Amino acid sequence: MTTPHKYVRTKDAPLLPPPATEAGITGWLWQNIFASMADFQSIGAAIRSLFMITFSLLLVYVFFDQTFGLIDFAILSAVWSDPNGLKREACWTVQQGGALPDGWHGACWPFVWAKQKFAWFGPYPSEELWRVYIALAVGTVGLIWALLDRMPYHRQVGVLMLTIYPLLAFILLTGGNSDASLTSIGVWIIGGLAMISVGRVGAAGYLGAIFAETSSVFGIVGWGIIALNVVRGVAAVDFNLVPVGTGDWGGLLITLVVALTGIVASLPLGIILALGRRSQMPVVSILCTIFIEFWRGVPLITVLFMASVMLPLFLPAGVNFDNLLRALIGVMLFSAAYMAEVVRGGLQGIDKGQYEGAQAMGLSYWQTMRLIILPQALTHVIPGIVNTFIGLFKDTTLVSIVGIFDLLGAGQSAVADAAWSTPVQAITMYLYVGVIFFIFCFGMSRYSIFMENKLSKSRRH
Amino acid sequence: MSASNATKMQITDEVIISMSQVNKWFGTFHVLRDINLTVNKGERIVICGPSGSGKSTLIRCLNRLEEHQSGDINVQGITLNNDLKNIDEIRREVGMVFQHFNLFPHLTILENCTLAPIWVRRMPKADAEAIAMKYLERVKIPEQAHKYPGQLSGGQQQRVAIARSLCMEPQLMLFDEPTSALDPEMIKEVLDTMVALAEDGMSMICVTHEMGFARKVANRVIFMDEGQIIEEKEPEEFFNNPENDRTKLFLSQILDH
């Protein structure tokens, strides 16, 4: 005979504190470090634990050894100044004819200080550098202001940074007073207005149902043309500034111009391409797919090379695009294709119910996208977006191939200076360039994590 | 149901929906077959039937979440065709509540509710918020207005979804299995909300398996199978005296426990 199951709890079981392996510093050490190397229950486990201990210690050693090596080279053993103007001799050992002890190995910073202006701005005329400083200062302040949402009016500042600032920077950097003719600008603007009106008329349904759906494309293109020609118009005004051609730009300035233009342009272009690729309209979808696959299928170097060397051959004589502008457009379209695929990944993660919920309430396609789908899709792919940005930032070094000297290119040509010829000359410059790249890329990476945390906090699931 | 509320539940002569000979295919699969249905203002219709019988597809055709291939659908006198203007107009007048709520997770409850009034009805923000609070109070969760959907229980989310639809002040509400995704203990709060809505005279079409709800508020129950309307009766008559064999089978399957 079995006893019948019967149990009634009369007193709650006590709530106990967690064991030492679960909480506090000991718990952390236990879970994160010792858990993998403290099992001696069997011979196999003991061998594994001993291996883990040895390997961990080895890794710790290598890490500290390398870190110290870097600190020693860059800071402790480095030559920091060259008060006597010795140039390369300041970084020479006794054996090489200088004053430093034999076997010395450290950074030669005076070389970098001497080449600083070149690494940052290339051959930009020194007496006009104040214009670059203003552009950089306004840009830095504006960017930080727009990106920190604790600041008042950060949205408005962001809009200004995307509209007025590029124009301001363009005029400051080039000097404006371009030779664009007013007639051509006028004709283009009228063309843009015409496209917008066609789009409006089409959206109202006067040109047939199929056209009504594509009419927004006309609006977008029309506004794009107008914006571009307003820029051309303003750039044609004489601000009484000395013109500085883009051939005189260089260094970090080029890196920032190329990367920021690419970043700012690739996101909206990528979004439009991604939406287009997912469009129900076969023509739009096929065109966007072809565009994306084409640009993803060719290496950036090829794009830049084609833009710089081949394109002029196809253009009629006398028509001449600026070399930097050609590279910029290449980078822009190239990164837009990558961005489009990242955004498309985000769009595919959105539940069909979100579209239906929005449609059922009567929101239009663009409202649905702007208010419901894109905010969610873009949030989901922030890591991918920033990944593309960082890749783009570093890919700007490829513009060297078409004779535009970005930060790395400028550093490289500085290294060729025989007046500073020492064994550590190249290492020092590349270290410097590497640190600058790292600061920008790491900054973007941290900002993306900050955004992810902020958005995930407000959207707990 | 109190007597005063019952008097509000009046059916008028005004036709709000008329479907005639509506047919729809998914590829080669004939999902809706010869649907003829007229709904008057104030009616509360429950559609039931086995899964795959086309119930959801039918109500989703009413606001063009699905496109029908033949037959005529009229909503509030507007013909439902490819004209985007007509579709938008119909969607403004017809609210819909989904099985999986379809709230927007990146917006607060209040923003979920004010979105359509602001962007579709072009209402000033303050007015939209006042309306949203009115309906959130009506579904009894005004205190959750500033939370995000993910922070609410399933039942609360579905009530928000109802309030969100009501904010557009629709003439007709469509419910697509509103309680099917809910935990059992949350079904009641949603049904109570729907009953209250019916008592206030809202016209509604509900796809649901809640037969208690059907008995309580419906004035017509429609049974569908294989894309056709099989039987259509007043609730008492429907439950006590089903005539078609398929209806009898279905009722015996869902009621005999």
Side-chain angles (χ1 to χ4, degrees):
Chain A
M1 193 187 128
T2 52
T3 43
H5 280 288
K6 183 171 186 294
Y7 173 74
V8 178
R9 186 180 281 284
T10 48
K11 216 172 98 188
D12 280 347
L15 290 168
L16 300 172
T21 52
E22 292 298 317
I25 297 169
T26 18
W28 187 89
L29 286 172
W30 183 257
Q31 284 171 12
N32 293 288
I33 295 179
F34 297 118
S36 58
M37 48 176 99
D39 186 1
F40 296 97
Q41 301 287 328
S42 67
I43 296 176
I47 292 173
R48 193 179 140 274
S49 292
L50 285 174
F51 174 74
M52 293 299 285
I53 291 168
T54 325
F55 196 65
S56 302
L57 289 175
L58 192 71
L59 277 179
V60 170
Y61 170 74
V62 169
F63 174 75
F64 279 107
D65 186 54
Q66 290 298 307
T67 313
F68 180 75
L70 185 66
I71 292 173
D72 182 48
F73 177 84
I75 299 170
L76 301 180
S77 297
V79 173
W80 287 93
S81 61
D82 177 22
N84 303 323
L86 295 170
K87 293 203 169 179
R88 62 186 175 182
E89 280 156 44
C91 299
W92 274 358
T93 60
V94 177
Q95 205 178 25
Q96 289 156 343
L100 293 163
D102 282 338
W104 170 85
H105 186 66
C108 184
W109 294 120
F111 163 59
V112 169
W113 308 152
K115 298 293 176 189
Q116 180 121 310
K117 184 254 157 189
F118 190 73
W120 279 54
F121 309 113
Y124 205 95
S126 295
E127 61 277 16
E128 298 298 326
L129 270 183
W130 60 271
R131 281 150 52 178
V132 183
Y133 293 146
I134 293 178
L136 279 181
V138 174
T140 314
V141 172
L143 195 67
I144 292 174
W145 193 332
L147 290 185
L148 289 181
D149 58 353
R150 257 167 292 165
M151 304 292 274
Y153 305 113
H154 73 103
R155 256 169 222 279
Q156 288 85 336
V157 172
V159 171
L160 287 181
M161 285 302 288
L162 288 175
T163 51
I164 307 296
Y165 178 72
L167 199 56
L168 174 81
F170 178 78
I171 287 163
L172 277 171
L173 294 179
T174 61
N177 200 9
S178 75
D179 50 5
S181 81
L182 274 180
T183 343
S184 119
I185 294 170
V187 169
W188 275 104
I189 289 187
I190 290 168
L193 286 173
M195 285 198 85
I196 295 171
S197 340
V198 169
R200 282 283 159 84
V201 173
Y206 292 114
L207 303 175
I210 299 169
F211 189 80
E213 291 172 23
T214 42
S215 58
S216 43
V217 177
F218 280 81
I220 293 172
V221 175
W223 280 114
I225 290 174
I226 290 182
L228 213 63
N229 281 282
V230 169
V231 173
R232 281 180 73 202
V234 177
V237 177
D238 188 357
F239 290 95
N240 207 9
L241 291 170
V242 182
V244 180
T246 55
D248 289 335
W249 299 12
L252 182 62
L253 176 62
I254 285 279
T255 300
L256 288 178
V257 168
V258 176
L260 288 179
T261 320
I263 286 173
V264 169
S266 69
L267 190 57
L269 275 178
I271 290 172
I272 290 173
L273 284 170
L275 292 177
R277 189 169 181 170
R278 284 170 57 85
S279 163
Q280 309 270 329
M281 289 172 274
V283 179
V284 176
S285 162
I286 289 171
L287 284 178
C288 289
T289 309
I290 291 174
F291 182 94
I292 292 169
E293 296 303 337
F294 173 78
W295 288 100
R296 284 208 307 168
V298 288
L300 182 55
I301 289 205
T302 320
V303 173
L304 293 172
F305 203 70
M306 288 289 282
S308 161
V309 181
M310 302 293 284
L311 194 62
L313 298 180
F314 299 119
L315 291 173
V319 176
N320 190 27
F321 268 114
D322 185 87
N323 195 21
L324 179 63
L325 182 63
R326 274 181 272 158
L328 272 181
I329 293 174
V331 167
M332 222 186 266
L333 298 179
F334 185 81
S335 46
Y338 275 87
M339 191 56 74
E341 288 300 279
V342 174
V343 174
R344 193 167 69 93
L347 290 173
Q348 270 168 347
I350 303 296
D351 185 53
K352 198 164 145 264
Q354 294 288 308
Y355 293 89
E356 292 181 350
Q359 279 173 3
M361 298 194 308
L363 292 177
S364 71
Y365 172 81
W366 289 105
Q367 287 174 334
T368 307
M369 289 302 156
R370 190 158 66 84
L371 300 167
I372 309 298
I373 306 300
L374 284 174
Q376 296 183 62
L378 295 181
T379 313
H380 289 163
V381 292
I382 287 178
I385 293 175
V386 176
N387 204 21
T388 312
F389 284 170
I390 289 176
L392 169 64
F393 193 86
K394 293 191 291 190
D395 278 351
T396 55
T397 51
L398 294 176
V399 296
S400 312
I401 200 88
V402 293
I404 300 169
F405 287 102
D406 73 309
L407 177 57
L408 181 65
Q412 231 161 358
S413 64
V415 166
D417 185 356
W420 285 95
S421 169
T422 70
V424 292
Q425 184 190 20
I427 308 179
T428 309
M429 183 51 88
Y430 290 139
L431 182 65
Y432 178 71
V433 169
V435 166
I436 294 180
F437 269 104
F438 181 79
I439 289 171
F440 279 99
C441 295
F442 189 65
M444 283 191 262
S445 161
R446 294 312 298 181
Y447 185 73
S448 110
I449 292 176
F450 164 76
M451 283 302 286
E452 278 172 52
N453 288 341
K454 195 175 92 75
L455 293 172
S456 67
K457 247 177 226 154
S458 63
R459 290 165 199 187
R460 253 171 299 176
H461 286 284
Chain B
M1 202 186 307
S2 66
S4 65
N5 278 334
T7 54
K8 270 192 178 176
M9 292 168 68
Q10 268 180 2
I11 298 161
T12 64
D13 292 337
E14 190 188 333
V15 175
I16 197 164
I17 282 179
S18 73
M19 299 174 92
S20 71
Q21 277 146 20
V22 172
N23 282 281
K24 174 171 176 58
W25 290 262
F26 282 134
T28 53
F29 178 55
H30 200 169
V31 265
L32 291 182
R33 291 152 72 184
D34 191 33
I35 301 290
N36 289 291
L37 177 68
T38 307
V39 180
N40 285 1
K41 200 164 166 48
E43 276 202 279
R44 299 151 318 271
I45 293 175
V46 163
I47 305 180
C48 60
S51 75
S53 59
K55 322 174 286 280
S56 293
T57 311
L58 188 147
I59 63 167
R60 287 160 60 86
C61 279
L62 293 175
N63 62 354
R64 246 317 149 92
L65 289 185
E66 303 285 356
E67 192 177 337
H68 62 284
Q69 280 98 18
S70 76
D72 294 319
I73 300 180
N74 255 274
V75 181
Q76 287 243 304
I78 305 159
T79 310
L80 190 56
N81 52 20
N82 282 327
D83 193 335
L84 287 175
K85 265 201 227 160
N86 287 2
I87 296 175
D88 285 345
E89 211 168 319
I90 287 171
R91 284 176 177 167
R92 277 198 290 270
E93 302 305 329
V94 178
M96 189 163 198
V97 175
F98 299 87
Q99 182 177 0
H100 296 287
F101 329 138
N102 298 352
L103 294 177
F104 307 129
H106 61 301
L107 301 176
T108 63
I109 301 307
L110 189 63
E111 287 164 341
N112 263 282
C113 292
T114 55
L115 191 81
I118 290 175
W119 290 93
V120 179
R121 290 235 189 269
R122 304 275 162 200
M123 205 178 265
K125 196 171 172 224
D127 296 2
E129 281 179 355
I131 288 183
M133 286 315 293
K134 180 176 117 190
Y135 286 111
L136 284 174
E137 259 156 48
R138 188 138 146 209
V139 301
K140 304 199 176 67
I141 31 177
E143 70 283 357
Q144 313 282 10
H146 295 286
K147 288 192 181 164
Y148 285 88
Q151 295 165 294
L152 269 56
S153 74
Q156 289 173 323
Q157 290 193 42
Q158 193 60 296
R159 276 145 64 201
V160 170
I162 294 173
R164 181 177 74 173
S165 290
L166 292 176
C167 286
M168 284 293 279
E169 315 218 290
Q171 300 295 316
L172 168 74
M173 288 283 285
L174 305 174
F175 291 87
D176 189 359
E177 306 207 22
T179 55
S180 302
L182 294 175
D183 290 338
E185 75 267 27
M186 295 171 180
I187 291 178
K188 188 176 177 292
E189 63 187 62
V190 172
L191 289 180
D192 285 348
T193 310
M194 290 166 65
V195 170
L197 201 57
E199 286 171 354
D200 283 346
M202 175 64 79
S203 317
M204 49 213 266
I205 303 180
C206 312
V207 172
T208 180
H209 295 132
E210 298 296 334
M211 291 305 135
F213 173 78
R215 276 180 199 273
K216 198 169 176 185
V217 293
N219 66 300
R220 252 200 293 174
V221 180
I222 293 175
F223 174 71
M224 284 183 74
D225 193 19
E226 294 179 349
Q228 311 163 81
I229 293 178
I230 303 286
E231 202 158 339
E232 190 180 327
K233 280 180 174 162
E234 286 187 6
E236 284 312 306
E237 184 70 4
F238 179 81
F239 290 111
N240 300 335
N241 194 12
E243 283 166 77
N244 191 297
D245 289 342
R246 286 193 251 187
T247 322
K248 287 178 191 164
L249 179 68
F250 176 75
L251 285 176
S252 71
Q253 277 163 342
I254 62 165
L255 295 177
D256 291 353
H257 273 297

